[in-house]
Amino acid sequence: MKKLKDLDLSSELDKKMYKKKLKVLQYEMLNAQQFLFNKKIGLILVFEGMDAAGKGGAIKRLTERIDPRGYVVHPISAPQPHELRYNYMHRFWRKLPQHGQIAIFDRSWYGRVLVERLEGFAKEEEWKRAYEEINDFERLLTDGDYIILKFWIHIDKEEQLKRFNDRATNPYKAWKLTDEDWRNRDKFDDYVLAADDTFKHTDTENAPWALIPGNNKLHARIAVLQETINHIEKEATKRGLHISNVFEKKGAKALAELEEIVQESKD
């Protein structure tokens, strides 16, 4: 069973190697996006983790080189008053991607078993029941034309405090730090326990959790890209499909057409 205490938070990656790997993996991610589009398979990526763990930075590098027309990032916060009129999953159904598109959730339906559980916004019977409801929701999607992968990016208390202080003194990042972040920090250990419970009940074959050590941001960003590409390839294989190099084929076709035009002009 996956647990946060088993993560090696000392994992590092130097900047030179980071840049090399980033270039290669971003190209592979672009190619994978084209594969998903052509096969009309939707990709759903969920990002959870401690405050200041680096979710935004990982999402930025994941999407930096892909076609902006083919993905959307949903930043999830507390439900609006009109959303409380419905089942808590209703607002997420409305944000699902079309087949062939990518949807990235920065926070997600797992709020029911994390923040809502710890802050008392959900009754005990509600958040305990939610594990099965979430599994059913994800199974319904992956039984169809969707791929789901869920990330938890983790940092320790010391690294979190360092990042909070960096944000507080940086005018370009101060907006990221809120009173709620400080309140959540007081419940750091409770969030670890709730996260481990979440992995225990919702780490499934069809919609697995990938636990990412986040103390080193460079390592975390590369790990997220690699896990995403690996999971897409795994799911493609299960469907009897193979991810070929789309751009290599397009380049060869364009070159052949160019040669044909040149030959015709000579004739």
Side-chain angles (χ1 to χ4, degrees), residues 55 160 165 203 214 232 234 243:
K55 295 181 293 297
Q160 186 185 63
N165 289 330
D203 181 36
I232 295 172
K234 175 184 174 183
I243 303 178

Side-chain angles (χ1 to χ4, degrees), residues 32-33 35-45 70 96-104 141-142 144-149 231-232 235 239:
Q33 182 195 29
F35 163 81
L36 294 170
F37 175 76
N38 291 329
K39 299 300 181 181
K40 296 297 179 281
I41 299 172
L43 175 64
I44 298 170
L45 300 176
L96 294 179
Q98 300 174 35
H99 294 147
Q101 303 283 306
I102 300 172
I104 298 171
L141 296 174
T142 57
D145 296 317
Y146 286 100
I147 294 171
I148 298 178
L149 179 60
H231 190 62
I232 295 172
E235 290 298 313
R239 290 165 166 80

Side-chain angles (χ1 to χ4, degrees), residues 256-267:
E257 290 175 351
L258 179 59
E259 290 176 349
E260 185 178 339
I261 292 171
V262 171
Q263 186 61 44
E264 288 177 354
S265 66
K266 288 180 179 179
D267 297 340

Side-chain angles (χ1 to χ4, degrees), residues 3-11 47-55 58 107 151-160 163 187-193 195-196 199 209-217 219-220 224:
K3 287 194 172 185
L4 293 177
K5 68 178 180 62
D6 297 327
L7 281 178
D8 180 9
L9 294 178
S10 66
S11 300
F47 283 82
E48 296 284 356
M50 295 301 182
D51 294 323
K55 295 181 293 297
R107 302 296 187 186
F151 289 102
W152 181 281
I153 304 180
H154 195 60
I155 54 176
D156 59 31
K157 290 181 181 179
E158 292 73 20
E159 181 63 22
Q160 186 185 63
R163 294 184 187 183
K187 296 183 178 181
F188 191 100
D189 293 335
D190 294 332
Y191 272 97
V192 169
L193 291 174
D196 284 342
F199 309 144
W209 280 98
L211 277 52
I212 307 296
N215 274 12
N216 182 278
K217 291 182 179 181
H219 174 271
V224 165

